Amino acid sequence: MDKITQPTIVKITKIINEGLNYKTFVFNYPLEARAGQYLMLWLPGEDLKPFAVAWKTPDKFALAVLKRGDFTAKLFEAHVGDLLGFTGPHGTYYNLTGRKKILLIGGGSGAPSVTFLAQEAGQQNIKVDFVLAAAAKEEIIFESWLTAQGVKVYHRFQDKKYEHAWDLITDLINKNNYDGLFACGPELLLKKIVDLSLEKNIFCQVSLERYIKCGIGVCGKCCVDNSGLCLCQAGPVVNNHLANQISEFGKYHRDGSGQKIYFKQ
Amino acid sequence: MPANLETTITGLKLNNPTILASGVLGVTKASLKNVINNGAGAVTTKSISLEPRSGHKAPIIITYEAGMLNAVGYSNQGAVKAAEEFANSAEVGAPVIGSVIGQSVDDFIKVISKIKNCGFSAIEVPLSCPHTPGYGTLGGQHTPEMAKKITDAIKKISKLPLWIKVSPNENMIAVAKAAEAGGADAIVAGNSMGPGMIIDIKTAKPILGFGMGGVSGPALRPIAVRCVYDLYKAIKIPIIGCGGITYGRDLIEMMMAGATAVAVGTAVYYRGVSVFKKITEEAEQFLTENNYKDITQIIGLAHG
């Protein structure tokens, strides 16, 4: 049995403050990963949680982390030189095959999943527009980094006419002939994007967040209704048709005990 | 003519002898159905406790050269929500076994009374978890006295077949015999062994969130086979063999040791959820090639 899942230990080489409650942790390690995939990050002796890869170079990779709970609070206390572990990359990734002009949407803790995709698309000379969905201006991250990748960045704080990110997104989709939509962020926003993509028949992939605890398809915490598929392996990136078949999509997810938590409309 | 793989255990007719072991997948009814669609003859729910539990901190599962270590810590929705989740379990297409845990005899009774209308085909009670304080081995339940007491109490309030899951570590035969005397209908042999520990040497920390965890997979298989072999001689009620079954030959081996059916868990990691179909096909091929008409012919065959 040659399949061994134990953390690989890496040293934090750089920590970047991205803004309100957001930090990027950079590691010197030649990671083989595709945009959309995630690592299970181990704080030795503490816990292990999933994070999408935010960007990578041939010899470095980065995780961008939004402070949102006990684990991330502990992670925010880490220093350059500290040792962390990871397993993975795990899960599915975005597929850019055949795309020429795409819209990426990233919001909250989901933004880093699509920043990596912007980097991949840039390397393939695909034209990229990027909507940063955020509740407050202080939560806008990676704007200059994205611009440096040749990406055109939009957010609703640039133009007062948009009250919600969704208004900006629909406006962009209506005005441009995108041949691909890729998004990671709040699930109710993802649901709207998936519905619109199906209506307009645009290729679309979204990354869904479920309670991932083992990451290897065994513990069953991330199984979705009604298929029972484990999203730690069948996801996190799913296309719009598969998302639409997940009966709980846009309705509820489950906590660590398996109890349903309904999304607030 | 392909060999017949049907087996009957405690009155439950299974299309094939593979059962999803408790603790792997099985958190939701949809997940159980997915496992059945992938070839399992029956499925066991994630263990249900009286109150909701979020389980141990992660990592909860790691693997090494010879198998897997887990310390999940019985995360589950609790009996009230589980009763909703697993309602109408009979409709998933194969028997569903409800796994029930408790810290006291009273807990078991309360949980079973809350889930009694789910349509479970049997109740499994693990007295043998090696890594959750208050439960199983760490809760002092893996003794002949507790086995008799818990079995007695459950049999008084439930008509469902009762399967008692024992530990491969120690006391196994004495606990199984006490459960049999208390009215248990079958013995599941057995749980993971140990617990074991793996330390990351760069950070000098045990990797599992709970530090230690039950050992399963290929490392456990020969021990589980010997357990079933010993139990077959010691008790009269049927045995569900569990421990490291990954390929069809492992299923055949376990049944030759004396198992009437087998539970599969860790192999989901090695071969995916379709492992049930794969094991069954491999076993069928062996039986057919070796002129066995019926899989029940091989039960206990190693005893001569």
Side-chain angles (χ1 to χ4, degrees):
Chain A
M1 297 292 163
D2 54 352
K3 282 176 70 177
I4 296 179
T5 301
Q6 287 179 26
T8 298
I9 305 300
V10 284
K11 200 179 276 188
I12 303 173
T13 39
K14 196 175 175 186
I15 300 173
I16 307 162
N17 280 312
E18 301 287 0
L20 197 66
N21 292 329
Y22 236 112
K23 279 187 184 183
T24 297
F25 297 84
V26 184
F27 306 89
N28 278 358
Y29 184 90
L31 187 73
E32 293 287 335
R34 296 284 302 275
Q37 290 189 300
Y38 67 96
L39 305 181
M40 296 299 288
L41 186 68
W42 184 45
L43 263 173
E46 296 289 343
D47 211 339
L48 174 95
K49 297 281 179 191
F51 293 93
V53 178
W55 53 261
K56 75 180 201 71
T57 63
D59 59 355
K60 284 188 179 67
F61 73 90
L63 304 176
V65 177
L66 176 69
K67 193 170 165 184
R68 58 189 272 200
D70 294 344
F71 182 90
T72 48
K74 283 243 164 60
L75 183 57
F76 268 43
E77 291 167 12
H79 299 99
V80 169
D82 287 357
L83 295 178
L84 301 178
F86 73 87
T87 70
H90 302 284
T92 56
Y93 47 82
Y94 299 107
N95 181 2
L96 290 171
T97 309
R99 300 306 116 198
K100 292 187 177 66
K101 185 183 180 189
I102 60 177
L103 178 65
L104 311 189
I105 300 129
S109 59
S113 156
V114 244
T115 51
F116 186 11
L117 184 64
Q119 188 188 24
E120 267 189 7
Q123 287 158 358
Q124 296 176 35
N125 297 319
I126 297 167
K127 188 172 172 342
V128 180
D129 288 351
F130 198 120
V131 172
L132 282 164
K137 199 174 177 203
E138 301 74 50
E139 292 172 25
I140 296 293
I141 56 154
F142 276 89
E143 186 170 3
S144 54
W145 183 88
L146 284 165
T147 307
Q149 308 290 317
V151 170
K152 185 143 179 50
V153 179
Y154 296 88
H155 53 76
R156 68 185 180 89
F157 306 101
Q158 294 162 326
D159 189 335
K160 288 207 173 81
K161 76 174 179 174
Y162 301 112
E163 199 176 330
H164 301 287
W166 177 241
D167 305 330
L168 168 60
I169 293 163
T170 45
D171 216 16
L172 283 168
I173 292 173
N174 287 332
K175 282 179 186 157
N176 294 276
N177 285 320
Y178 296 120
D179 59 9
L181 308 176
F182 301 85
C184 184
E187 187 145 321
L188 294 175
L189 179 63
L190 298 184
K191 175 81 172 93
K192 285 181 181 176
I193 293 165
V194 163
D195 287 348
L196 187 64
S197 74
L198 290 169
E199 187 193 313
K200 290 187 170 282
N201 199 22
I202 306 173
F203 180 86
C204 173
Q205 291 186 309
V206 291
S207 176
L208 304 184
E209 182 177 25
R210 285 298 179 270
Y211 196 97
I212 290 177
K213 198 158 186 188
C214 80
I216 54 175
V218 175
C219 79
K221 287 268 162 270
C222 63
C223 286
V224 290
D225 291 338
N226 282 329
S227 63
L229 286 177
C230 281
L231 269 202
C232 71
Q233 293 189 319
V237 176
V238 295
N239 70 32
N240 49 359
H241 296 283
L242 180 56
N244 204 33
Q245 284 163 19
I246 296 171
S247 62
E248 65 177 60
F249 176 52
K251 296 193 179 86
Y252 60 87
H253 60 119
R254 291 171 189 268
D255 70 7
S257 76
Q259 293 180 81
K260 291 174 187 171
I261 298 175
Y262 287 83
F263 295 111
K264 290 192 185 98
Q265 293 289 339
Chain B
M1 186 72 178
N4 177 25
L5 291 173
E6 287 175 7
T7 188
T8 301
I9 183 144
T10 65
L12 312 182
K13 198 171 169 187
L14 312 188
N15 288 335
N16 71 70
T18 64
I19 303 172
L20 172 70
S22 180
V24 172
L25 304 173
V27 173
T28 64
K29 192 167 130 188
S31 173
L32 294 176
K33 196 169 182 182
N34 184 39
V35 174
I36 291 165
N37 291 342
N38 278 283
V43 289
T44 316
T45 67
K46 182 99 183 94
S47 300
I48 302 163
S49 57
L50 193 52
E51 301 296 333
R53 292 176 53 87
S54 42
H56 292 318
K57 286 192 169 176
I60 53 170
I61 298 170
I62 53 174
T63 60
Y64 72 115
E65 302 86 319
M68 178 180 282
L69 270 71
N70 92 83
V72 175
Y74 281 142
S75 48
N76 79 98
Q77 306 188 46
V80 173
K81 294 283 181 188
E84 293 170 16
E85 180 66 47
F86 298 114
N88 304 313
S89 276
E91 71 189 19
V92 298
V96 178
I97 292 96
S99 176
V100 172
I101 53 168
Q103 302 202 48
S104 64
V105 175
D106 199 37
D107 279 1
F108 287 104
I109 303 303
K110 282 182 180 153
V111 174
I112 290 170
S113 63
K114 287 194 167 35
I115 60 167
K116 67 182 177 199
N117 295 324
C118 287
F120 292 139
S121 298
I123 298 290
E124 178 180 287
V125 167
L127 300 177
S128 43
C129 172
H131 49 72
T132 307
Y135 295 87
T137 312
L138 298 186
Q141 294 171 348
H142 200 257
T143 64
E145 297 72 31
M146 285 304 289
K148 175 83 166 44
K149 212 169 151 183
I150 292 168
T151 312
D152 261 344
I154 294 173
K155 287 305 286 185
K156 280 200 183 87
I157 59 128
S158 170
K159 290 193 173 65
L160 290 175
L162 176 60
W163 302 1
I164 298 292
K165 190 167 184 176
V166 296
S167 166
N169 286 356
E170 51 193 23
N171 289 348
M172 178 194 66
I173 289 185
V175 170
K177 278 185 161 176
E180 184 179 39
D185 300 280
I187 298 296
V188 184
N191 216 308
S192 54
M193 62 180 176
M197 178 181 280
I198 292 178
I199 294 166
D200 174 67
I201 59 169
K202 284 190 179 159
T203 57
K205 301 267 191 207
I207 301 175
L208 285 171
F210 186 62
M212 59 192 76
V215 181
S216 63
L220 175 58
R221 200 189 81 233
I223 293 162
V225 169
R226 192 269 308 154
C227 285
V228 169
Y229 188 89
D230 282 353
L231 275 176
Y232 187 73
K233 290 186 288 192
I235 58 172
K236 293 192 173 60
I237 54 177
I239 303 159
I240 295 99
C242 178
I245 296 166
T246 311
Y247 298 97
R249 66 133 337 262
D250 307 339
L251 178 154
I252 300 285
E253 177 187 40
M254 196 62 97
M255 291 186 73
M256 286 180 168
T260 301
V262 302
V264 175
T266 302
V268 168
Y269 169 72
Y270 291 110
R271 303 183 76 191
V273 68
S274 61
V275 66
F276 297 92
K277 196 164 187 280
K278 291 171 186 162
I279 289 176
T280 306
E281 284 171 359
E282 289 155 4
E284 183 185 280
Q285 190 184 349
F286 170 86
L287 294 169
T288 307
E289 281 172 10
N290 291 277
N291 301 313
Y292 293 103
K293 288 193 174 61
D294 203 306
I295 198 162
T296 55
Q297 284 175 268
I298 68 166
I299 299 170
L301 207 57
H303 293 265

